[in-house]
Amino acid sequence: MNEKNQVNENSKNEQLEQFLVEDEGKALTTNQGLKMSEDEFSLKAGERGPTLMEDFHFREKLTHFDHERIPERVVHARGFAAHGFFELYESMKDFTRAKFLQDPSVKTPVFVRFSTVNGARGSSDTVRDARGFATKFYTEEGNYDLVGNNIPVFFIQDAIKFPDLVHSFKPEPDNDIPQASTAHDTFWDFVANNQESAHMIMWIMSDRAIPRSFRMMEGFGVHTFRFVNDQGKAHFVKFHWKPKLGVHSLVWDESHKLAGIDPDFHRNDLWNAIENGFFPEYELGVQLLREEDEFKLGVDILDATKIWPEEIVPVKIIGKMTLNRNVDNFFAETEQAAFHLGNVVPGVDFTNDPLLQGRLFSYLDTQLIRLGGPNFHEIPINRPVVPFHNNQRDGYHRQTINKGKVNYHRNSLAGNTPSPVPPEKGGYESYQEKVEGRKIRARSDSFKDHFSQATLFWNSMSDVEKRHIIEAFQFELAKVKSESVKQQVVDMFANVNLELARSIAEYIGVNPPASGGSNVTTSSPALSQLNTVFSPETLTVAVIVTKGFNGPDVKYVLDHLVAAGIQPKIISETIGEVSGTNGVNLNAEFTFLTAKSVQFDSVYIVRASSSSPTFNKQIAHFTDEAFSHYKPIGASPGLNQWLERNNIAGQPGVVISENLEQFTKELIDAISQHRFWDRKVI
Ligand code: HDE
């Protein structure tokens, strides 16, 4: 690639193409390119004799297989990724000199990996956990990584506590139980004894920790970073990703069931959305703060357990990311991707947040062992789309063949090249922040308020969100065995809200706190998911049909659902074609053996009189479960009595009408609302 700016949205794809290998239709060879005449039988001394050491093909094949696994990430082991591009809405020149944030006509390729934090590589997608949201921008100035989560704060304030935190939430060391869950003693013991975690715990107990889809969650850079412009002037900045589809969640019972029925639920969801052309989009937002306002927010901006409420520091939307291509190979791309928040470009800099500072060490360090040496930047997915030149050499798996004798700086033999580039020509220069102080191991007083924003979060929740938080605490603590830990946690959360702490205490049978509470009365409406975007686009509807259904009517409804971006999934008694009246046929992808209600966003019961009693019973079960998860349900004319028999007639979000047009409109509207919380669920 030319040294000048030639980066466009396809630059990374074109670079990766050089490494793609098509095996189909090719002759089978060893790794040395030798064609083999046999791949099924090892070389033996006689048909029933011992295998011979001489069998180089057998040894190569088995040895390679024996070494196929690499260590999983110590956290964020389970992930899923996609390619895409980022486009800018308006130049950010006034704030940052980052080239990819200057010109709205430039499209920057990206690779994004979403993950759970706690579970192992093979764990389930829908567990209660924070989600990683790591973006690699392949810019003309090198790779810029924004390594964020779907929760804007963190459990701890100082990176030195990260190993303790992670040890506490991972499975307990004596028996490796439980998997991918924080509902156990050591985690809650850590929480009660490290009370800076209070705010993050409120988010983890909320619906944010069980997202409906990677496509429907926000992303946050969490820390305060710096933008630096051409004149060297800096602003503090916090990064936000806002999904165009809004922020939506599962319900707890549903996520539990999904973990068994479809452990790949979020993977399937993202993969299929991209395959079907429903490209996920997220807008990039920034909260900007002038350096002179550093102390005006009432929280320490270096404390990663704090947000800047959007109502106080508005989020300025500056661009959009679209994910439009699935990977070709999970291991080569998703598993080998190495993100590091030290991968920055000129115009983006750090702050003294002690969590951020520690992360700057940890990512490179962990990748050295995970990816087996210092050359993982050469792995195709990790390469920048611009050339790199320096005097680093050798090491395991080196692929670059650096020519010449000179591998040191300063030199005269190569004219002192590769040469450093001054800042005005695009060389990275660290922001010249003035620092002074004594070497000291301590926490600043400004980091010591652990509860105000936890209460702010609680105050910002709607009634139903509060109920979910209480239920999540009850669930988690009911699984804790130590009475003392349970009591400590309840006492701790009395500092957030007394009613919350009492509801937990009563449920798990410990002493309700007599006093406590908080004097924080403010709230931040932006934190409630009830204030998010609601759209029917890409949501699924389970369409239950049997032979002889009313062809024209059902076709009318389905055509309109599809036009609204909704994805109908047909369920019938058998897989394959289901014939309706007037020559309308549908293709059933599922039966009740392969489809459970938790896998769909809504239900449309068509049925026909021909359906069997077993099938009818299954419809009732399916619908009842969807109903109890507050999902929209539509029923064809004539099913009134059926709805009544099943006790759901007339309930919010249950749509039925003789008028086809009205029914279709109401069903689309109901689907776009996602859930009907005011429904009576027994
Ligand atoms: Fe990470 N984190 N982290 N983290 N983190 C890792 O790096 C670490 C933190 C995040 O898809 C590891 O390559 C420390 C906050 C994501 O590959 C490791 C601290 C946030 C990913 C590591 C934190 C994150 C990681 C493990 C406390 C949100 C997955 C494997 C100071 C802003 C990236 C790896 C991917 C992964 C260290 C806290 C996000 C061990 C020391 C806060 C999205 O280096």
Side-chain angles (χ1 to χ4, degrees), residues 286-307:
V286 288
Q287 285 179 296
L288 294 161
L289 189 71
R290 295 187 309 175
E291 283 208 310
E292 47 276 35
D293 295 338
E294 176 171 1
F295 301 104
K296 290 199 182 148
L297 288 185
V299 293
D300 195 323
I301 63 161
L302 302 183
D303 175 358
T305 66
K306 302 295 185 303
I307 58 164

Short mmCIF file of all heavy atoms in Angstrom, two decimals, residues 286-307:
data_model
loop_
_atom_site.label_atom_id
_atom_site.label_comp_id
_atom_site.label_asym_id
_atom_site.label_seq_id
_atom_site.Cartn_x
_atom_site.Cartn_y
_atom_site.Cartn_z
N VAL A 286 -19.71 11.18 21.50
CA VAL A 286 -18.66 11.59 22.44
C VAL A 286 -19.23 12.58 23.44
O VAL A 286 -20.05 13.43 23.09
CB VAL A 286 -17.44 12.22 21.72
CG1 VAL A 286 -16.65 11.17 20.96
CG2 VAL A 286 -17.86 13.35 20.78
N GLN A 287 -18.80 12.44 24.68
CA GLN A 287 -19.06 13.48 25.68
C GLN A 287 -17.74 14.23 25.82
O GLN A 287 -16.70 13.62 26.07
CB GLN A 287 -19.44 12.85 27.02
CG GLN A 287 -20.86 12.30 27.05
CD GLN A 287 -21.17 11.66 28.39
OE1 GLN A 287 -20.55 10.67 28.77
NE2 GLN A 287 -22.13 12.22 29.12
N LEU A 288 -17.80 15.52 25.63
CA LEU A 288 -16.57 16.32 25.65
C LEU A 288 -16.58 17.26 26.85
O LEU A 288 -17.61 17.84 27.17
CB LEU A 288 -16.48 17.14 24.35
CG LEU A 288 -16.32 16.30 23.08
CD1 LEU A 288 -16.70 17.11 21.84
CD2 LEU A 288 -14.89 15.79 22.95
N LEU A 289 -15.43 17.37 27.47
CA LEU A 289 -15.33 18.24 28.64
C LEU A 289 -14.05 19.05 28.51
O LEU A 289 -12.98 18.49 28.26
CB LEU A 289 -15.25 17.35 29.89
CG LEU A 289 -15.34 18.05 31.24
CD1 LEU A 289 -16.75 18.57 31.48
CD2 LEU A 289 -14.95 17.07 32.36
N ARG A 290 -14.18 20.35 28.68
CA ARG A 290 -12.97 21.19 28.59
C ARG A 290 -12.04 20.87 29.76
O ARG A 290 -12.51 20.55 30.86
CB ARG A 290 -13.37 22.67 28.65
CG ARG A 290 -14.21 23.10 27.44
CD ARG A 290 -14.45 24.58 27.44
NE ARG A 290 -14.98 25.01 28.75
CZ ARG A 290 -15.21 26.27 29.09
NH1 ARG A 290 -14.94 27.24 28.25
NH2 ARG A 290 -15.68 26.57 30.28
N GLU A 291 -10.75 21.00 29.52
CA GLU A 291 -9.80 20.67 30.59
C GLU A 291 -10.05 21.53 31.83
O GLU A 291 -9.95 21.05 32.95
CB GLU A 291 -8.37 20.88 30.10
CG GLU A 291 -7.90 19.75 29.20
CD GLU A 291 -6.39 19.56 29.27
OE1 GLU A 291 -5.68 20.57 29.12
OE2 GLU A 291 -5.94 18.43 29.47
N GLU A 292 -10.42 22.80 31.59
CA GLU A 292 -10.62 23.69 32.74
C GLU A 292 -11.87 23.31 33.56
O GLU A 292 -12.06 23.78 34.66
CB GLU A 292 -10.65 25.17 32.31
CG GLU A 292 -11.50 25.54 31.11
CD GLU A 292 -10.84 25.33 29.74
OE1 GLU A 292 -10.06 24.37 29.58
OE2 GLU A 292 -11.13 26.12 28.83
N ASP A 293 -12.72 22.42 32.99
CA ASP A 293 -13.92 22.00 33.73
C ASP A 293 -13.73 20.67 34.45
O ASP A 293 -14.69 20.06 34.93
CB ASP A 293 -15.11 21.88 32.77
CG ASP A 293 -15.49 23.23 32.18
OD1 ASP A 293 -15.14 24.26 32.81
OD2 ASP A 293 -16.12 23.27 31.10
N GLU A 294 -12.47 20.23 34.52
CA GLU A 294 -12.18 18.90 35.08
C GLU A 294 -12.86 18.65 36.44
O GLU A 294 -13.32 17.55 36.71
CB GLU A 294 -10.66 18.74 35.22
CG GLU A 294 -10.27 17.44 35.88
CD GLU A 294 -8.77 17.16 35.82
OE1 GLU A 294 -8.01 18.00 35.29
OE2 GLU A 294 -8.37 16.10 36.33
N PHE A 295 -12.92 19.69 37.28
CA PHE A 295 -13.44 19.46 38.63
C PHE A 295 -14.87 19.95 38.80
O PHE A 295 -15.37 20.10 39.90
CB PHE A 295 -12.50 20.12 39.65
CG PHE A 295 -11.11 19.56 39.56
CD1 PHE A 295 -10.08 20.27 38.95
CD2 PHE A 295 -10.84 18.27 40.03
CE1 PHE A 295 -8.80 19.73 38.85
CE2 PHE A 295 -9.57 17.72 39.92
CZ PHE A 295 -8.54 18.45 39.33
N LYS A 296 -15.55 20.21 37.69
CA LYS A 296 -16.88 20.81 37.82
C LYS A 296 -18.03 19.81 37.83
O LYS A 296 -19.18 20.19 37.96
CB LYS A 296 -17.09 21.82 36.68
CG LYS A 296 -16.23 23.06 36.82
CD LYS A 296 -16.76 24.20 36.01
CE LYS A 296 -15.82 25.41 36.15
NZ LYS A 296 -15.79 26.20 34.93
N LEU A 297 -17.74 18.53 37.61
CA LEU A 297 -18.85 17.58 37.47
C LEU A 297 -19.32 16.99 38.80
O LEU A 297 -20.32 16.27 38.85
CB LEU A 297 -18.45 16.43 36.54
CG LEU A 297 -18.33 16.76 35.05
CD1 LEU A 297 -18.06 15.49 34.26
CD2 LEU A 297 -19.62 17.40 34.55
N GLY A 298 -18.57 17.22 39.85
CA GLY A 298 -18.96 16.65 41.14
C GLY A 298 -18.51 15.20 41.29
O GLY A 298 -18.77 14.56 42.31
N VAL A 299 -17.90 14.64 40.25
CA VAL A 299 -17.28 13.31 40.37
C VAL A 299 -15.87 13.44 39.83
O VAL A 299 -15.59 14.34 39.03
CB VAL A 299 -18.02 12.23 39.55
CG1 VAL A 299 -19.40 11.95 40.10
CG2 VAL A 299 -18.08 12.58 38.07
N ASP A 300 -15.00 12.54 40.25
CA ASP A 300 -13.64 12.59 39.71
C ASP A 300 -13.65 11.91 38.34
O ASP A 300 -14.02 10.73 38.23
CB ASP A 300 -12.66 11.89 40.67
CG ASP A 300 -11.22 12.24 40.31
OD1 ASP A 300 -10.91 12.35 39.09
OD2 ASP A 300 -10.40 12.40 41.24
N ILE A 301 -13.25 12.63 37.32
CA ILE A 301 -13.33 12.07 35.97
C ILE A 301 -12.30 10.95 35.75
O ILE A 301 -12.33 10.27 34.73
CB ILE A 301 -13.17 13.15 34.87
CG1 ILE A 301 -11.78 13.80 34.96
CG2 ILE A 301 -14.27 14.20 34.97
CD1 ILE A 301 -11.42 14.51 33.67
N LEU A 302 -11.41 10.76 36.72
CA LEU A 302 -10.44 9.66 36.62
C LEU A 302 -10.96 8.38 37.28
O LEU A 302 -10.28 7.36 37.29
CB LEU A 302 -9.11 10.06 37.26
CG LEU A 302 -8.44 11.32 36.70
CD1 LEU A 302 -7.10 11.55 37.39
CD2 LEU A 302 -8.24 11.19 35.18
N ASP A 303 -12.16 8.45 37.82
CA ASP A 303 -12.73 7.32 38.55
C ASP A 303 -13.67 6.56 37.61
O ASP A 303 -14.73 7.05 37.23
CB ASP A 303 -13.49 7.88 39.77
CG ASP A 303 -14.23 6.80 40.54
OD1 ASP A 303 -14.19 5.62 40.12
OD2 ASP A 303 -14.85 7.15 41.57
N ALA A 304 -13.27 5.33 37.24
CA ALA A 304 -14.03 4.55 36.25
C ALA A 304 -15.31 3.93 36.82
O ALA A 304 -16.00 3.20 36.12
CB ALA A 304 -13.14 3.47 35.65
N THR A 305 -15.63 4.25 38.08
CA THR A 305 -16.92 3.78 38.60
C THR A 305 -17.98 4.88 38.45
O THR A 305 -19.07 4.77 38.99
CB THR A 305 -16.84 3.34 40.08
OG1 THR A 305 -16.55 4.49 40.89
CG2 THR A 305 -15.75 2.30 40.30
N LYS A 306 -17.65 5.92 37.69
CA LYS A 306 -18.59 7.05 37.56
C LYS A 306 -18.93 7.34 36.10
O LYS A 306 -18.07 7.22 35.23
CB LYS A 306 -17.97 8.33 38.16
CG LYS A 306 -17.56 8.22 39.62
CD LYS A 306 -18.75 8.02 40.54
CE LYS A 306 -18.39 8.04 42.01
NZ LYS A 306 -17.40 7.06 42.43
N ILE A 307 -20.18 7.75 35.89
CA ILE A 307 -20.57 8.24 34.57
C ILE A 307 -20.64 9.77 34.61
O ILE A 307 -20.63 10.37 35.69
CB ILE A 307 -21.96 7.72 34.14
CG1 ILE A 307 -23.04 8.11 35.17
CG2 ILE A 307 -21.93 6.22 33.93
CD1 ILE A 307 -24.45 7.98 34.66
#
